[in-house]
PDB file of all heavy atoms in Angstrom:
ATOM      1  N   PHE A 147      21.773  24.388  -8.151  1.00  0.00           N
ATOM      2  CA  PHE A 147      21.784  23.202  -8.996  1.00  0.00           C
ATOM      3  C   PHE A 147      21.501  21.942  -8.165  1.00  0.00           C
ATOM      4  O   PHE A 147      22.156  21.643  -7.180  1.00  0.00           O
ATOM      5  CB  PHE A 147      23.139  23.008  -9.669  1.00  0.00           C
ATOM      6  CG  PHE A 147      23.282  21.762 -10.502  1.00  0.00           C
ATOM      7  CD1 PHE A 147      22.478  21.552 -11.602  1.00  0.00           C
ATOM      8  CD2 PHE A 147      24.145  20.786 -10.112  1.00  0.00           C
ATOM      9  CE1 PHE A 147      22.518  20.359 -12.342  1.00  0.00           C
ATOM     10  CE2 PHE A 147      24.247  19.599 -10.846  1.00  0.00           C
ATOM     11  CZ  PHE A 147      23.435  19.415 -11.976  1.00  0.00           C
ATOM     12  N   SER A 148      20.557  21.149  -8.669  1.00  0.00           N
ATOM     13  CA  SER A 148      20.194  19.833  -8.140  1.00  0.00           C
ATOM     14  C   SER A 148      19.934  18.966  -9.335  1.00  0.00           C
ATOM     15  O   SER A 148      18.959  19.212 -10.059  1.00  0.00           O
ATOM     16  CB  SER A 148      18.970  19.876  -7.168  1.00  0.00           C
ATOM     17  OG  SER A 148      18.523  18.633  -6.893  1.00  0.00           O
ATOM     18  N   ASP A 149      20.786  17.932  -9.485  1.00  0.00           N
ATOM     19  CA  ASP A 149      20.630  17.056 -10.674  1.00  0.00           C
ATOM     20  C   ASP A 149      19.255  16.426 -10.715  1.00  0.00           C
ATOM     21  O   ASP A 149      18.612  16.354 -11.746  1.00  0.00           O
ATOM     22  CB  ASP A 149      21.724  15.980 -10.608  1.00  0.00           C
ATOM     23  CG  ASP A 149      21.733  15.170 -11.855  1.00  0.00           C
ATOM     24  OD1 ASP A 149      20.902  14.323 -12.041  1.00  0.00           O
ATOM     25  OD2 ASP A 149      22.669  15.372 -12.680  1.00  0.00           O
ATOM     26  N   SER A 150      18.737  15.945  -9.556  1.00  0.00           N
ATOM     27  CA  SER A 150      17.444  15.296  -9.528  1.00  0.00           C
ATOM     28  C   SER A 150      16.327  16.272  -9.829  1.00  0.00           C
ATOM     29  O   SER A 150      15.374  15.905 -10.552  1.00  0.00           O
ATOM     30  CB  SER A 150      17.216  14.607  -8.154  1.00  0.00           C
ATOM     31  OG  SER A 150      17.276  15.581  -7.081  1.00  0.00           O
ATOM     32  N   GLU A 151      16.417  17.477  -9.267  1.00  0.00           N
ATOM     33  CA  GLU A 151      15.292  18.444  -9.504  1.00  0.00           C
ATOM     34  C   GLU A 151      15.295  18.910 -10.926  1.00  0.00           C
ATOM     35  O   GLU A 151      14.251  18.964 -11.590  1.00  0.00           O
ATOM     36  CB  GLU A 151      15.475  19.656  -8.557  1.00  0.00           C
ATOM     37  CG  GLU A 151      14.366  20.667  -8.752  1.00  0.00           C
ATOM     38  CD  GLU A 151      14.630  21.937  -7.874  1.00  0.00           C
ATOM     39  OE1 GLU A 151      15.741  22.039  -7.302  1.00  0.00           O
ATOM     40  OE2 GLU A 151      13.739  22.759  -7.849  1.00  0.00           O
ATOM     41  N   TRP A 152      16.498  19.221 -11.483  1.00  0.00           N
ATOM     42  CA  TRP A 152      16.532  19.648 -12.892  1.00  0.00           C
ATOM     43  C   TRP A 152      16.106  18.533 -13.806  1.00  0.00           C
ATOM     44  O   TRP A 152      15.414  18.859 -14.810  1.00  0.00           O
ATOM     45  CB  TRP A 152      17.973  20.130 -13.201  1.00  0.00           C
ATOM     46  CG  TRP A 152      18.361  21.468 -12.622  1.00  0.00           C
ATOM     47  CD1 TRP A 152      17.978  21.909 -11.381  1.00  0.00           C
ATOM     48  CD2 TRP A 152      19.163  22.454 -13.212  1.00  0.00           C
ATOM     49  NE1 TRP A 152      18.538  23.167 -11.136  1.00  0.00           N
ATOM     50  CE2 TRP A 152      19.273  23.492 -12.228  1.00  0.00           C
ATOM     51  CE3 TRP A 152      19.899  22.548 -14.387  1.00  0.00           C
ATOM     52  CZ2 TRP A 152      20.036  24.620 -12.487  1.00  0.00           C
ATOM     53  CZ3 TRP A 152      20.642  23.696 -14.627  1.00  0.00           C
ATOM     54  CH2 TRP A 152      20.740  24.745 -13.698  1.00  0.00           C
ATOM     55  N   THR A 153      16.501  17.332 -13.530  1.00  0.00           N
ATOM     56  CA  THR A 153      16.032  16.186 -14.332  1.00  0.00           C
ATOM     57  C   THR A 153      14.542  16.065 -14.313  1.00  0.00           C
ATOM     58  O   THR A 153      13.909  15.827 -15.400  1.00  0.00           O
ATOM     59  CB  THR A 153      16.646  14.899 -13.814  1.00  0.00           C
ATOM     60  OG1 THR A 153      18.088  14.933 -13.955  1.00  0.00           O
ATOM     61  CG2 THR A 153      16.158  13.653 -14.597  1.00  0.00           C
ATOM     62  N   GLN A 154      13.899  16.275 -13.181  1.00  0.00           N
ATOM     63  CA  GLN A 154      12.434  16.148 -13.055  1.00  0.00           C
ATOM     64  C   GLN A 154      11.775  17.182 -13.994  1.00  0.00           C
ATOM     65  O   GLN A 154      10.818  16.857 -14.711  1.00  0.00           O
ATOM     66  CB  GLN A 154      12.046  16.394 -11.654  1.00  0.00           C
ATOM     67  CG  GLN A 154      10.501  16.343 -11.407  1.00  0.00           C
ATOM     68  CD  GLN A 154      10.101  16.687  -9.981  1.00  0.00           C
ATOM     69  OE1 GLN A 154      10.994  17.044  -9.198  1.00  0.00           O
ATOM     70  NE2 GLN A 154       8.800  16.551  -9.671  1.00  0.00           N
ATOM     71  N   PHE A 155      12.232  18.423 -13.960  1.00  0.00           N
ATOM     72  CA  PHE A 155      11.556  19.479 -14.735  1.00  0.00           C
ATOM     73  C   PHE A 155      11.904  19.354 -16.216  1.00  0.00           C
ATOM     74  O   PHE A 155      11.013  19.620 -17.089  1.00  0.00           O
ATOM     75  CB  PHE A 155      11.974  20.840 -14.236  1.00  0.00           C
ATOM     76  CG  PHE A 155      11.264  21.244 -12.959  1.00  0.00           C
ATOM     77  CD1 PHE A 155      11.859  21.207 -11.759  1.00  0.00           C
ATOM     78  CD2 PHE A 155       9.943  21.642 -12.983  1.00  0.00           C
ATOM     79  CE1 PHE A 155      11.215  21.537 -10.611  1.00  0.00           C
ATOM     80  CE2 PHE A 155       9.245  22.002 -11.840  1.00  0.00           C
ATOM     81  CZ  PHE A 155       9.895  21.953 -10.622  1.00  0.00           C
ATOM     82  N   LEU A 156      13.050  18.876 -16.543  1.00  0.00           N
ATOM     83  CA  LEU A 156      13.409  18.666 -17.967  1.00  0.00           C
ATOM     84  C   LEU A 156      12.494  17.499 -18.534  1.00  0.00           C
ATOM     85  O   LEU A 156      12.046  17.595 -19.670  1.00  0.00           O
ATOM     86  CB  LEU A 156      14.891  18.334 -18.152  1.00  0.00           C
ATOM     87  CG  LEU A 156      15.833  19.499 -17.918  1.00  0.00           C
ATOM     88  CD1 LEU A 156      17.291  19.004 -17.882  1.00  0.00           C
ATOM     89  CD2 LEU A 156      15.670  20.559 -19.037  1.00  0.00           C
ATOM     90  N   ASN A 157      12.329  16.485 -17.703  1.00  0.00           N
ATOM     91  CA  ASN A 157      11.464  15.369 -18.102  1.00  0.00           C
ATOM     92  C   ASN A 157      10.014  15.840 -18.304  1.00  0.00           C
ATOM     93  O   ASN A 157       9.351  15.477 -19.292  1.00  0.00           O
ATOM     94  CB  ASN A 157      11.486  14.240 -17.079  1.00  0.00           C
ATOM     95  CG  ASN A 157      12.802  13.513 -17.003  1.00  0.00           C
ATOM     96  OD1 ASN A 157      13.608  13.641 -17.906  1.00  0.00           O
ATOM     97  ND2 ASN A 157      13.006  12.812 -15.927  1.00  0.00           N
ATOM     98  N   ALA A 158       9.513  16.678 -17.372  1.00  0.00           N
ATOM     99  CA  ALA A 158       8.185  17.184 -17.479  1.00  0.00           C
ATOM    100  C   ALA A 158       7.982  18.063 -18.723  1.00  0.00           C
ATOM    101  O   ALA A 158       6.879  18.082 -19.315  1.00  0.00           O
ATOM    102  CB  ALA A 158       7.877  17.962 -16.190  1.00  0.00           C
ATOM    103  N   ALA A 159       9.057  18.791 -19.136  1.00  0.00           N
ATOM    104  CA  ALA A 159       8.936  19.601 -20.276  1.00  0.00           C
ATOM    105  C   ALA A 159       8.985  18.763 -21.592  1.00  0.00           C
ATOM    106  O   ALA A 159       8.642  19.306 -22.668  1.00  0.00           O
ATOM    107  CB  ALA A 159      10.097  20.652 -20.304  1.00  0.00           C
ATOM    108  N   GLY A 160       9.474  17.519 -21.497  1.00  0.00           N
ATOM    109  CA  GLY A 160       9.496  16.722 -22.631  1.00  0.00           C
ATOM    110  C   GLY A 160      10.830  16.509 -23.281  1.00  0.00           C
ATOM    111  O   GLY A 160      10.987  15.896 -24.389  1.00  0.00           O
ATOM    112  N   TYR A 161      11.927  17.037 -22.590  1.00  0.00           N
ATOM    113  CA  TYR A 161      13.298  16.921 -23.248  1.00  0.00           C
ATOM    114  C   TYR A 161      13.698  15.441 -23.174  1.00  0.00           C
ATOM    115  O   TYR A 161      13.460  14.729 -22.139  1.00  0.00           O
ATOM    116  CB  TYR A 161      14.258  17.775 -22.482  1.00  0.00           C
ATOM    117  CG  TYR A 161      14.226  19.227 -22.858  1.00  0.00           C
ATOM    118  CD1 TYR A 161      13.498  20.136 -22.111  1.00  0.00           C
ATOM    119  CD2 TYR A 161      14.877  19.683 -24.024  1.00  0.00           C
ATOM    120  CE1 TYR A 161      13.423  21.487 -22.508  1.00  0.00           C
ATOM    121  CE2 TYR A 161      14.806  20.987 -24.417  1.00  0.00           C
ATOM    122  CZ  TYR A 161      14.110  21.917 -23.636  1.00  0.00           C
ATOM    123  OH  TYR A 161      14.009  23.226 -24.017  1.00  0.00           O
ATOM    124  N   PRO A 162      14.363  14.902 -24.216  1.00  0.00           N
ATOM    125  CA  PRO A 162      14.767  13.512 -24.225  1.00  0.00           C
ATOM    126  C   PRO A 162      15.723  13.207 -23.088  1.00  0.00           C
ATOM    127  O   PRO A 162      16.519  14.073 -22.716  1.00  0.00           O
ATOM    128  CB  PRO A 162      15.460  13.349 -25.603  1.00  0.00           C
ATOM    129  CG  PRO A 162      14.872  14.455 -26.431  1.00  0.00           C
ATOM    130  CD  PRO A 162      14.614  15.633 -25.479  1.00  0.00           C
ATOM    131  N   ALA A 163      15.689  12.007 -22.583  1.00  0.00           N
ATOM    132  CA  ALA A 163      16.553  11.602 -21.480  1.00  0.00           C
ATOM    133  C   ALA A 163      18.021  11.497 -21.932  1.00  0.00           C
ATOM    134  O   ALA A 163      18.932  11.665 -21.128  1.00  0.00           O
ATOM    135  CB  ALA A 163      16.085  10.279 -20.862  1.00  0.00           C
TER     136      ALA A 163
END
Side-chain angles (χ1 to χ4, degrees):
F147 177 65
S148 168
D149 188 284
S150 59
E151 181 184 9
W152 287 36
T153 296
Q154 178 185 6
F155 283 104
L156 289 171
N157 290 345
Y161 281 97

